[in-house]
Amino acid sequence: MELSKKRLFLLDLDGTVYLDDALLPGAAEFLAWVRESGRCCRFLTNNSSRGVDAGMEKMARLGIPARREEFLTAVEATVFYLKTCRSPSDVYYVVGTASFCRQLTEAGISLCRTPSPDVTAVLVGFDTELTYEKVEDACRLLARGADFLATNPDWACPTLFGFIPDCGAICELISRAAGKTPAFLGKPDPAMIRLALEQTGFAPEETLMVGDRLYTDIAYGCRAGVDTALVLTGEAAAEDAAASQTPPGVICRDLGALLELVRRAGQS
């Protein structure tokens, strides 16, 4: 991997840039260097519980300037899939937050809040407002033959105290009861990386995917044909990388350590 040639940095957020409302070590310095050096970044997140506006507000609270066009989310990937690969007559029952439902509705996706016979698919996101009623409704619909879709396969979302169930864990709960497995739409599907390359004009060899999860972030980069960097500030540990089928190109303690590597590569 030639780090000195990297011009586009694709960054996961939870566990890579921040945890809850705290910036992770080196994140501010790394992002400042990206901008000051004339390079480019995109924030790629599987977190469907909040929209881009909320993401921008959070970054602002943490002292990190971010523009709307720098965000690519699982919600956008989901909307793209639903509009291009599903029938416009489909009706969805969503196991997700009010923010997720609002973004889908604004994008023209038809939703139903009850387990109506009109529902053609159950769509699960990272639901931080999950209720047992939603789980029961989803199982009822899947038993009737509704399709099973989900935004992302992440098992857990890192927090300051540890981890909380993410979309993959919620889907596992439903799958165990309903006997069906979902089709996942976000990372590690490479669609968002391809969109980022198209938007910025950079080539895959000029791009580095940076994240804390092997089975989404790193697998994501590998599937898209870009180099990868694993940071140890979230879900994965160094020993996990050694056993992974998609090992990262480089492993760093945090974004600060990655910045040191990139700077050193530029001096050699």
Side-chain angles (χ1 to χ4, degrees):
M1 183 192 307
E2 295 187 70
L3 286 173
S4 62
K5 293 186 176 180
K6 301 306 177 187
R7 292 294 179 269
L8 173 62
F9 295 88
L10 306 177
L11 299 161
D12 173 59
L13 289 171
D14 295 289
T16 300
V17 174
Y18 54 63
L19 277 178
D20 288 342
D21 285 319
L23 274 179
L24 286 164
E29 294 80 4
F30 182 87
L31 291 169
W33 172 82
V34 168
R35 292 190 168 95
E36 290 168 2
S37 63
R39 289 168 171 82
C40 184
C41 67
R42 286 291 183 271
F43 303 113
L44 276 55
T45 176
N46 266 349
N47 192 333
S48 63
S49 67
R50 56 180 181 262
V52 173
D53 287 341
M56 292 173 61
E57 290 170 7
K58 180 168 185 173
M59 295 289 271
R61 287 199 310 274
L62 295 173
I64 304 295
R67 301 185 301 275
R68 175 177 292 277
E69 62 269 21
E70 291 179 323
F71 287 83
L72 290 171
T73 74
V75 179
E76 292 172 295
T78 298
V79 168
F80 178 79
Y81 174 85
L82 298 182
K83 286 192 169 185
T84 58
C85 300
R86 301 278 305 186
S87 169
S89 63
D90 277 331
V91 177
Y92 300 89
Y93 180 85
V94 178
V95 180
T97 61
S99 172
F100 182 34
C101 291
R102 184 173 59 253
Q103 292 176 80
L104 292 171
T105 300
E106 290 172 352
I109 306 300
S110 297
L111 308 184
C112 185
R113 297 184 180 277
T114 63
S116 163
D118 295 331
V119 172
T120 55
V122 172
L123 174 60
V124 180
F126 175 29
D127 191 357
T128 55
E129 300 157 5
L130 184 66
T131 64
Y132 197 85
E133 180 181 10
K134 292 181 186 179
V135 173
E136 184 178 356
D137 286 348
C139 290
R140 189 186 306 272
L141 289 162
L142 293 173
R144 290 181 193 162
D147 294 334
F148 192 5
L149 307 174
T151 58
N152 60 290
D154 301 65
W155 292 109
C157 181
T159 69
L160 285 172
F161 65 79
F163 298 91
I164 58 175
D166 207 321
C167 180
I170 296 171
C171 287
E172 184 71 9
L173 170 65
I174 296 170
S175 294
R176 291 285 181 171
K180 293 185 176 181
T181 55
F184 290 107
L185 311 180
K187 293 185 288 185
D189 185 275
M192 277 195 287
I193 287 185
R194 291 171 182 158
L195 182 57
L197 295 176
E198 183 179 323
Q199 287 180 347
T200 60
F202 289 106
E205 58 269 22
E206 297 176 293
T207 303
L208 185 68
M209 176 68 215
V210 186
D212 68 299
R213 305 183 202 205
L214 291 160
Y215 59 93
T216 54
D217 301 321
I218 304 306
Y220 187 41
C222 291
R223 288 188 185 184
V226 304
D227 286 327
T228 58
L230 177 73
V231 289
L232 304 178
T233 44
E235 185 172 318
E239 53 268 28
D240 299 325
S244 174
Q245 294 182 342
T246 53
V250 65
I251 302 174
C252 297
R253 180 186 66 252
D254 51 35
L255 285 177
L258 177 60
L259 176 57
E260 292 177 12
L261 284 179
V262 177
R263 280 176 165 165
R264 197 179 307 140
Q267 295 170 355
S268 60

